[in-house]
Amino acid sequence: MRKSFDELTITDDYMFYRVMENIDICKTLLNIVLHDKIGTITDIQLQKTVTDAGNAKGVRFDVWAKDCDGTIYDVEMQAINKDDLAKRIRYYQSAIDVSVLEKNQPYEDLPDSFIIFFCTFDYIGKGLPVYSFKTICTENTNIQLADGITKIIINSKAAEKEESSALKNFLQYMNGKVSDDHFIQKIEGRIKEVKMSEEMRREYMLINSFERDARNDGWKAGIQEGIQQGIAQGFADGIMQTAKNLLKIGLSVENIAEATGLSREEIEKL
């Protein structure tokens, strides 16, 4: 069952990316995980979708950030263990590479990337709070392949084992414990701002409606109803707002164009 808007916490997708759109919070959390290695964040995109690889499965990233060095950070919150995280990370990495390397660009132009999953469960099952993975040589594990890829899976269930107090506080916060830590209080403040926003409340309800109708009645019925809801709820431009929300929930450009009557070019501009 979907939570009501007022019940949302940092471990819920919608609230997580709304909190992380704050550049200071995003940078601070990345620095907590990566030990102060992050430069200036130059770009944050929420629910970024990659759907232009022919008939391949599309990808929707919770939080896509880029720093001044061009390094890309995909930051995800995962509250349900679907037992597919390893292969999912593999696919996300391929989607990142395809989306950033244009035709005729050399492979060395691929930026470094970090895929970070904050999980409320121990996917690896070894009891560590943080699992970091790089590409290493099987024959000599001291040899690392310089492919620029880092994958990190974080396990909030092992919060008590984390040595970094800042990360420990955040993992405990994921588990429902609110401390007086300055960073945690800053997140709490942002969550209160989000919950006070009527626009975000309507957006969350609209997204929920789309997803529920898509599951129960097929995506076309849900989209058509969503268009009417978007207009009725007072969005400045119901059709365009609906198209934006459909992009957020991962529907393809082609399906959105068919349902809304917008052209592919108009949707891609969003």
Side-chain angles (χ1 to χ4, degrees), residues 32 51 90 100 113 139 151 159 170 189 262 266:
I32 287 173
T51 58
R90 170 182 164 181
V100 298
S113 63
E139 289 76 17
K151 294 158 284 189
F170 184 75
L262 298 173
E266 288 174 313

Side-chain angles (χ1 to χ4, degrees), residues 42-187:
T42 58
D43 183 33
I44 292 180
Q45 297 183 49
L46 308 179
Q47 298 285 279
K48 178 182 174 67
T49 58
V50 177
T51 58
D52 296 329
N55 294 322
K57 180 181 177 69
V59 171
R60 179 179 62 184
F61 301 99
D62 278 355
V63 180
W64 170 291
K66 183 185 292 186
D67 69 16
C68 55
D69 296 322
T71 301
I72 290 173
Y73 306 89
D74 167 37
V75 190
E76 306 282 338
M77 179 63 71
Q78 188 72 23
I80 299 174
N81 186 0
K82 298 181 180 179
D83 295 320
D84 64 354
L85 197 54
K87 294 292 180 70
R88 183 176 171 190
I89 290 174
R90 170 182 164 181
Y91 194 75
Y92 276 26
Q93 182 60 56
S94 68
I96 290 172
D97 292 343
V98 168
S99 68
V100 298
L101 196 67
E102 298 180 357
K103 290 181 180 179
N104 302 319
Q105 275 190 284
Y107 294 117
E108 56 264 28
D109 284 354
L110 280 172
D112 289 350
S113 63
F114 290 81
I115 298 178
I116 303 171
F117 269 82
F118 287 92
C119 300
T120 60
F121 53 88
D122 187 357
Y123 175 74
I124 303 298
K126 300 298 182 182
L128 297 179
V130 180
Y131 302 92
S132 300
F133 301 93
K134 289 182 177 289
T135 309
I136 61 172
C137 176
T138 301
E139 289 76 17
N140 184 342
T141 56
N142 292 320
I143 300 174
Q144 181 177 309
L145 188 66
D147 54 11
I149 299 171
T150 304
K151 294 158 284 189
I152 300 174
I153 299 174
I154 296 175
N155 164 32
S156 73
K157 294 301 181 186
E160 299 305 321
K161 296 182 180 180
E162 175 55 44
E163 295 180 358
S164 164
S165 59
L167 182 54
K168 181 178 181 178
N169 286 336
F170 184 75
L171 298 186
Q172 290 176 330
Y173 183 56
M174 287 176 60
N175 295 335
K177 179 181 178 181
V178 180
S179 70
D180 58 1
D181 175 78
H182 176 73
F183 180 57
I184 300 302
Q185 288 302 310
K186 188 170 185 177
I187 295 175

